[in-house]
């Protein structure tokens, strides 16, 4: 079928809206009309070459929409269902079969190889294959995805907010609720007040953490962090000894920390802020990370918040409906044709979570 997509033709180039040909769904696939999609830093990292991807490419991996067609082998969805899309996984390897799709042995090939889950291109421009992202490519009017990658959601939930639940928000909240699983009364520090960090601190409040400390460099974001559940905030631009300040707040250091930037200096600060048995989960890539002393601390690798999307996304929606996970406060909505403006605002820190919405549809 013919549809429109926003294509990046080369490194650091703007997005351009063009007509493309989208392959018909295979038996295990569904066709989804995209209503909205979040913008994630991972999209920007692919556009600027930090994540090496084939180009031209249609990016986007936080899509949400309505099922328009189902393949002959699809059992869990029907036309008209509302869905949030998440990362791709094979569903057949040992981690997948044990309920841990975030550890799928085919994670790299399915999400970052520029083709869909089965190794085939699904998007074409004038018969030229266009690379895809996360086997999804949600910067488009329609997408074809494997049924594994979609989560059915209640039709009374605002689809504009659903897409980011499949990546950035799922990652931040999942680190806390699925990986750390802190006991009530624990302390947690979040380094970075973007969507991942804010989701982590909201999850810490759900978990019953007593000291929830947000570390960031934007006063507006730090004010919002307090509104969302942070008990203390630290402006990294004004504090010369972040670990010392966190020890002042907690007594002996934080039990848990989430670091979202991947900047070595901040990772060191996060480690130094922990108590002796503390645990740190870096949510950003650790580039150029040198020697450090762990002591009895744990540095934990976490993929996609250790989340099973089909279980965790409905759980996050339930928390939002209860008023315990107000993700809407992170979001600003843009028309799809404002995609380049939305990326600029995201990169500048003007907005925490930009959401593209198709004009006149929702």
């Amino acid at each position: 079928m013919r549809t429109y997509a926003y294509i990046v033709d080369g490194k650091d180039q703007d997005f351009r809206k063009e007509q493309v040909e989208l392959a018909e769904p295979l038996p295990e696939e569904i066709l989804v009309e995209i209503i909205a999609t979040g913008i994630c830093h991972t999209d920007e990292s692919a556009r600027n070459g930090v994540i090496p991807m084939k180009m031209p490419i249609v990016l986007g991996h936080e899509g949400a929409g309505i099922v328009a067609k189902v393949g002959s082998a699809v059992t869990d969805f029907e036309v008209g269902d509302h869905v949030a899309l998440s990362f791709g996984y094979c569903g057949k390897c040992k981690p997948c079969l044990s309920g841990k799709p975030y550890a799928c042995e085919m994670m790299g090939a399915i999400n970052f190889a520029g083709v869909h889950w089965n190794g085939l291109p699904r998007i074409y421009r004038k018969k030229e294959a266009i690379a895809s992202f996360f086997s999804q490519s949600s910067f488009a009017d329609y997408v074809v995805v494997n049924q594994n990658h979609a989560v059915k959601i209640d039709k009374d939930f605002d689809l504009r907010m659903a897409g980011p639940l499949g990546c950035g928000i799922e990652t931040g909240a999942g680190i806390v609720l699925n990986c750390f699983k802190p006991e009530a009364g624990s302390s947690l520090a979040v380094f970075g007040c973007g969507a991942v960090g804010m989701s982590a601190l909201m999850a810490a409040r759900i978990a019953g953490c007593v000291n929830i400390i947000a570390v960031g460099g934007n006063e507006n974001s730090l004010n919002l962090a307090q509104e969302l559940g942070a008990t203390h905030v630290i402006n990294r631009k004004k504090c010369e000894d972040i670990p010392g300040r966190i020890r002042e707040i907690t007594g002996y250091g934080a039990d848990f920390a989430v670091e979202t930037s991947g900047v070595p200096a901040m990772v060191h600060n996060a480690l130094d802020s922990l108590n002796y048995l503390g645990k740190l989960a870096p949510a950003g890539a650790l580039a150029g990370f040198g020697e450090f002393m762990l002591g009895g601390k744990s540095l934990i690798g976490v993929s996609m918040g250790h989340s099973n999307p089909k279980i965790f996304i409905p759980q996050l929606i339930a928390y939002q409906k209860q008023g315990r996970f107000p993700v809407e406060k992170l979001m600003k909505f843009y028309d799809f044709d404002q995609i380049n403006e939305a990326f600029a605002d995201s990169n500048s820190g003007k907005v925490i979570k930009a959401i593209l919405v198709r004009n006149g549809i929702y």
Side-chain angles (χ1 to χ4, degrees), residues 171-193:
T171 295
I175 287 173
V176 176
L177 297 175
N178 299 329
C179 181
F180 287 161
K181 299 179 181 178
E183 296 179 355
S186 298
S187 57
L188 183 141
V190 174
F191 289 75
C193 293

Side-chain angles (χ1 to χ4, degrees), residues 191 215-217 233-248 265-266 268-270 272-273:
F191 289 75
V215 181
V233 297
I234 299 173
N235 189 322
R236 59 176 172 79
K237 297 178 181 178
K238 299 178 181 180
C239 182
E240 296 182 358
D241 183 8
I242 294 173
R245 175 64 184 129
I246 290 177
R247 285 192 291 272
E248 282 181 14
M266 293 310 292
H268 276 284
N269 272 326
D272 290 344
S273 300

Side-chain angles (χ1 to χ4, degrees), residues 121-195:
R122 313 297 282 144
I123 308 167
Y124 298 87
R125 178 179 58 184
K126 298 178 181 178
K127 298 184 179 181
E128 171 197 18
I130 304 296
S132 55
F133 200 48
F134 276 69
S135 290
Q136 182 185 145
S137 293
S138 59
F139 293 162
D141 289 352
Y142 286 85
V143 301
V144 170
V145 298
N146 187 293
Q147 61 181 332
N148 285 349
H149 311 170
V151 179
K152 189 186 301 185
I153 61 175
D154 294 340
K155 290 184 178 180
D156 64 354
F157 187 75
D158 191 340
L159 270 174
R160 296 177 303 167
M161 298 193 296
L165 298 180
C167 184
I169 289 172
E170 175 178 58
T171 295
I175 287 173
V176 176
L177 297 175
N178 299 329
C179 181
F180 287 161
K181 299 179 181 178
E183 296 179 355
S186 298
S187 57
L188 183 141
V190 174
F191 289 75
C193 293

Side-chain angles (χ1 to χ4, degrees), residues 17 26 33 104 112 145 153 166 174 180 199 231-232 256 305 318 326 352:
K17 184 178 181 179
L26 295 174
E33 181 181 15
C104 175
F112 298 105
V145 298
I153 61 175
F180 287 161
S199 300
T231 59
H232 302 79
F256 304 97
I352 292 175

